Amino acid sequence: MNTKLIAPSLLAADFANLQRDIEMVNQSDADWFHIDIMDGVFVPNISYGMPVLEAITKHTKKTVDVHLMIVDPDKYISTFKKLGTNNLTVHYEACTHLHRTLQAIKSEGMKAGVALNPHTNVNLLEDIINDIDIVLIMSVNPGFGGQSFIENTYTKIKNLKELIVKKGAKTLIEVDGGVSADNAKTLIDAGADVLVAGSFVFKSTNQIQTISELKTLANS
Ligand code: DX5
Ligand code: ZN
């Protein structure tokens, strides 16, 4: 079985000590940096934008996984590449021409991801799953960290995994929102490949140990 990955979400980091928190992730068992970009239109919150991402990627030594919660993501695809993005994920609900958007992301040399809001059925991806590198299943409503996990996520992961297997796709399943040591193993057993965790990591007293605990649970 492939190694299951852990992606701490910097949204829960201490922004006044961002470099310190990035170095912590660099030194930990984490695999990816998960970076949430919100525009206040697609979601009811604004996080941070290009200048902050540029500062972040000067220090990151691992895969930079950018989750765009913005309308009209097509406008910024090449900008995100220039800022050091490795994986670029757009929301299904924000893309009228999803196929075109995914091709544009891949033509920049990035992995292409599609995020699904909690109400969006995974079977809507049936005709495009073979073009998607990563499906990001939102297990909370996007916009804020620290929310509680939506239990229907397990069913969505299982259905998506079935679709991926049926279509012979190589797509990774990433889960984002309310992930902790309590649900990590169940999410992996349902079919998840990558676990995003914000508050659970950054609000813990020993962050390195918390990441290592998640990594062990995910690969047990
Ligand atoms: C929410 C973001 C998440 C968030 C997760 O819109 O996409 O990445 O940082 O935070 P937690 O792990 O605290 O739910
Ligand atoms: Zn996210």
Side-chain angles (χ1 to χ4, degrees):
M1 201 161 68
N2 292 337
T3 308
K4 305 299 179 181
L5 309 179
I6 305 301
S9 168
L10 285 185
L11 190 65
D14 177 355
F15 293 158
N17 289 287
L18 205 42
Q19 189 179 350
R20 180 198 69 192
D21 285 1
I22 292 166
E23 293 303 345
M24 180 281 293
V25 177
N26 281 337
Q27 279 155 35
S28 76
D29 288 339
D31 301 278
W32 294 358
F33 282 87
H34 183 81
I35 298 177
D36 294 297
I37 308 283
M38 305 176 185
D39 66 354
V41 179
F42 182 71
V43 286
N45 194 15
I46 299 174
S47 53
Y48 39 69
M50 281 73 171
V52 175
L53 180 61
E54 190 174 14
I56 290 172
T57 57
K58 284 203 177 90
H59 302 284
T60 51
K61 298 202 176 87
K62 297 179 175 180
T63 296
V64 173
D65 180 54
V66 172
H67 174 193
L68 294 183
M69 283 159 273
I70 65 173
V71 295
D72 226 347
D74 302 76
K75 277 197 213 161
Y76 307 106
I77 291 170
S78 58
T79 306
F80 279 104
K81 171 64 184 179
K82 287 189 194 94
L83 294 174
T85 302
N86 302 109
N87 307 336
L88 191 63
T89 293
V90 296
H91 263 265
Y92 176 87
E93 303 83 6
C95 294
T96 311
H97 299 286
L98 185 61
H99 185 273
R100 180 183 291 153
T101 304
L102 296 177
Q103 300 314 314
I105 294 171
K106 292 199 233 179
S107 74
E108 291 282 354
M110 296 181 284
K111 298 275 186 213
V114 175
L116 301 181
N117 277 340
H119 72 275
T120 304
N121 194 289
V122 297
N123 290 313
L124 290 166
L125 300 178
E126 179 154 12
D127 291 313
I128 195 149
I129 193 72
N130 296 89
D131 296 296
I132 307 176
D133 295 310
I134 304 156
V135 173
L136 177 61
I137 295 193
M138 287 307 303
S139 37
V140 298
N141 283 297
F144 303 92
Q147 304 180 80
S148 21
F149 180 84
I150 297 172
E151 295 287 322
N152 184 53
T153 305
Y154 299 118
T155 308
K156 287 183 77 167
I157 297 171
K158 284 180 194 149
N159 291 343
L160 177 59
K161 187 74 188 180
E162 270 176 32
L163 178 64
I164 290 169
V165 170
K166 183 177 96 180
K167 293 281 193 170
K170 304 235 175 337
T171 318
L172 294 179
I173 302 178
E174 183 174 7
V175 182
D176 186 9
V179 172
S180 72
D182 291 340
N183 54 20
K185 177 85 174 89
T186 320
L187 289 166
I188 296 291
D189 289 346
D193 301 292
V194 187
L195 302 180
V196 175
S199 320
F200 184 69
V201 166
F202 287 99
K203 307 296 178 219
S204 71
T205 43
N206 189 335
Q207 300 168 346
I208 294 251
Q209 193 183 305
T210 302
I211 292 170
S212 160
E213 184 189 352
L214 283 176
K215 181 89 174 195
T216 305
L217 279 168
N219 289 284
S220 60

